């Protein structure tokens, strides 16, 4: 008998390779300037205030460096991805949005809020 982790074991090889790329923006690179922190906070607040967004959507990574926002994470559908991008673009001071959000694959539905789904 296979365990849940064995049957739904995610293959994050491609994502891990992308994250090791020296040009990939990671949360550790979030700017500490007041302007960039304010942009990130306003985007996060807009996501938290939207009851239509899933838990996954509310937990995307938001990194702002010199007014350029990078969004990363996994959401349930295209609508959520687009809505998050729109909310980010609407914040004052944002120069550009790099929306790298991915859509949850059908095979992983139902695991998005459990510990066995690696993002």
């Amino acid at each position: 008998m296979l365990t849940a982790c064995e049957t739904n074991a995610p293959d994050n090889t491609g994502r891990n390779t992308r994250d090791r790329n020296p040009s990939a923006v990671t949360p550790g690179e979030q700017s500490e300037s007041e302007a960039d922190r304010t942009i990130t906070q306003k985007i996060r607040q807009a996501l938290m205030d939207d009851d239509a967004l899933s838990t996954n959507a509310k937990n995307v990574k938001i990194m702002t460096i010199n007014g350029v926002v990078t969004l990363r994470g996994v959401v349930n559908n295209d609508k959520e991805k687009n809505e998050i991008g729109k909310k980010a673009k609407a914040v004052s001071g944002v120069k550009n949005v790099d929306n790298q959000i991915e859509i949850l694959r059908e095979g992983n539905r139902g695991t998005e809020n459990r510990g066995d789904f690696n993002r």
Side-chain angles (χ1 to χ4, degrees), residues 41-59:
Q41 291 166 353
K42 287 182 177 180
I43 296 168
R44 177 68 63 204
Q45 191 61 56
L47 300 184
M48 299 308 290
D49 289 345
D50 188 339
D51 291 336
L53 293 177
S54 68
T55 300
N56 283 339
K58 291 181 180 189
N59 285 312

Side-chain angles (χ1 to χ4, degrees), residues 34-40 42-43 64 67 69 86-96:
E34 185 174 347
D36 285 341
R37 284 185 294 128
T38 299
I39 288 170
T40 298
K42 287 182 177 180
I43 296 168
T64 308
V69 176
K86 285 180 194 174
K87 288 180 185 304
K89 289 175 185 172
V91 171
S92 176
V94 172
K95 296 176 184 174
N96 190 32

Side-chain angles (χ1 to χ4, degrees), residues 6 10 37 41 43 67 76 88 114 116:
E6 291 171 321
R37 284 185 294 128
Q41 291 166 353
I43 296 168
N76 294 345
R114 295 194 331 232
D116 60 349

